Amino acid sequence: MSQLKEAGFEYYQLKNKLQYQGMDEDLEKLTKAFDHLPSDEYAPHLNRYRRYARALIMPRTHEVKWLPETKIEGKDYYEYFQGSFNPEYMGEYRRFPALTKESMNNRLLEEIIRFDFKETFWMREDALMPFHAGIHFVKLLVENEDDTAVSSPNNLHQDGEPFTFAHLIRRNNIKGAMNAISIPEHRGKMPEDVADSEITTSFYLEEPLESYSVYDPLVTHYVGEVEKGNEAGTGERSAILIDFQPTVIADPDQIRSMHGDTSKMIYV
């Protein structure tokens, strides 16, 4: 049994697991994509930058198919929703600028998505349909000594998706960004407010493609604030976050399109 299945989290070094000719070049291209991330419009004061995309993973073949973007005023976006799982955006849809086509076509990104998905496990009825993957490019950037960059939500939390994987792309000239894993009962707390015996583990991601995963029902997880390091220039922590959830045939009572309010419905 995998550690992810037994304990709800697992650590990986994907450089040792994904090997193919041209991988270093693909990693360099992914790294450069973080140079041009737009500011998170929902928290511009928190020094957070991001892009996002949604894809489907086909059962058995593990083929990755990118879902169409939403176009608003000539720009491409994807919608994101966490229901009640992010207290900072409770019940709120957010829209993030789409990943570039170059990033979507990057072989290494597809290999990472496929590797992650093969680590997941599902009830048989959940595996009848394609699976949804949400792919986040997130950069925490600090330019001045007094700057702080913050992830969302800034506490021990669950994401609302069954599985989330985090892959470090670049860590440079920063302090902080400690990762912590705890139990579900401590959702909403800060790690320093939890007894040491109930912090399952804490660690730092430092090398490119150093990664970890969580199975949401069994754990809470956290990444700490980022501050500038001692060297000249900016500080940065860039990571790819990938979450998975099933696209099952839902209970009709849970389908909002069955509620009868046609004024809010659209043609697709």
Side-chain angles (χ1 to χ4, degrees):
M1 181 181 293
S2 71
Q3 182 179 330
L4 179 59
K5 198 169 188 178
E6 184 174 0
F9 73 95
E10 189 157 354
Y11 167 88
Y12 314 91
Q13 176 44 276
L14 289 197
K15 271 195 171 180
N16 300 331
K17 293 180 176 292
L18 300 177
Q19 293 290 331
Y20 63 87
Q21 188 173 1
M23 178 175 151
D24 289 341
E25 290 81 359
D26 287 344
L27 177 58
E28 183 178 356
K29 290 176 183 177
L30 281 183
T31 304
K32 288 182 177 178
F34 284 84
D35 293 339
H36 307 291
L37 295 190
S39 176
D40 185 342
E41 64 182 69
Y42 296 91
H45 60 293
L46 295 182
N47 300 311
R48 191 166 64 227
Y49 301 77
R50 67 195 306 162
R51 287 188 182 275
Y52 176 63
R54 301 162 70 103
L56 291 180
I57 314 298
M58 298 298 113
R60 298 184 182 177
T61 67
H62 303 151
E63 182 182 3
V64 178
K65 290 184 174 290
W66 296 99
L67 290 169
E69 307 92 332
T70 298
K71 194 171 287 291
I72 302 173
E73 297 179 354
K75 296 182 179 180
D76 291 334
Y77 293 88
Y78 283 93
E79 305 281 345
Y80 182 58
F81 183 66
Q82 285 183 284
S84 64
F85 280 82
N86 189 332
E88 297 173 8
Y89 305 100
M90 187 75 71
E92 179 182 349
Y93 274 90
R94 289 178 284 167
R95 67 184 186 204
F96 298 126
L99 293 187
T100 65
K101 295 300 182 184
E102 182 179 6
S103 292
M104 291 183 189
N105 292 328
N106 186 288
R107 178 182 171 183
L108 178 57
L109 179 59
E110 186 168 320
E111 294 286 348
I112 291 171
I113 295 170
R114 192 175 289 113
F115 172 88
D116 290 356
F117 182 72
K118 289 179 180 179
E119 292 290 297
T120 65
F121 37 88
W122 309 88
M123 296 297 292
R124 186 177 301 276
E125 57 268 27
D126 288 340
L128 297 175
M129 301 279 282
F131 291 84
H132 178 274
I135 297 91
H136 308 250
F137 282 24
V138 181
K139 176 171 68 177
L140 302 178
L141 182 72
V142 283
E143 297 181 339
N144 305 301
E145 289 186 7
D146 296 332
D147 288 349
T148 301
V150 181
S151 291
S152 176
N154 186 29
N155 52 38
L156 286 162
H157 63 277
Q158 294 165 298
D159 290 324
E161 297 97 2
F163 297 93
T164 299
F165 292 75
H167 305 282
L168 186 73
I169 297 298
R170 182 164 55 196
R171 179 188 174 106
N172 181 53
N173 193 27
I174 64 166
K175 302 173 185 177
M178 179 194 75
N179 296 99
I181 307 292
S182 186
I183 57 178
E185 287 77 6
H186 293 313
R187 176 179 162 188
K189 298 179 183 178
M190 296 297 287
E192 58 265 30
D193 297 326
V194 175
D196 290 346
S197 61
E198 295 188 335
I199 296 294
T200 309
T201 187
S202 61
F203 54 93
Y204 293 87
L205 300 181
E206 297 182 330
E207 299 296 328
L209 298 184
E210 218 177 339
S211 311
Y212 73 94
S213 61
V214 294
Y215 174 51
D216 209 56
L218 294 187
V219 298
T220 52
H221 61 282
Y222 166 83
V223 59
E225 297 178 352
V226 165
E227 297 179 349
K228 188 177 176 300
N230 297 323
E231 301 173 11
T234 60
E236 173 191 350
R237 181 190 188 271
S238 291
I240 296 174
L241 310 178
I242 302 176
D243 56 65
F244 296 96
Q245 56 185 315
T247 56
V248 298
I249 300 173
D251 179 342
D253 291 334
Q254 302 300 316
I255 300 175
R256 291 198 296 168
S257 295
M258 294 284 283
H259 292 178
D261 184 1
T262 59
S263 65
K264 297 181 179 179
M265 300 173 74
I266 62 171
Y267 292 98
V268 296

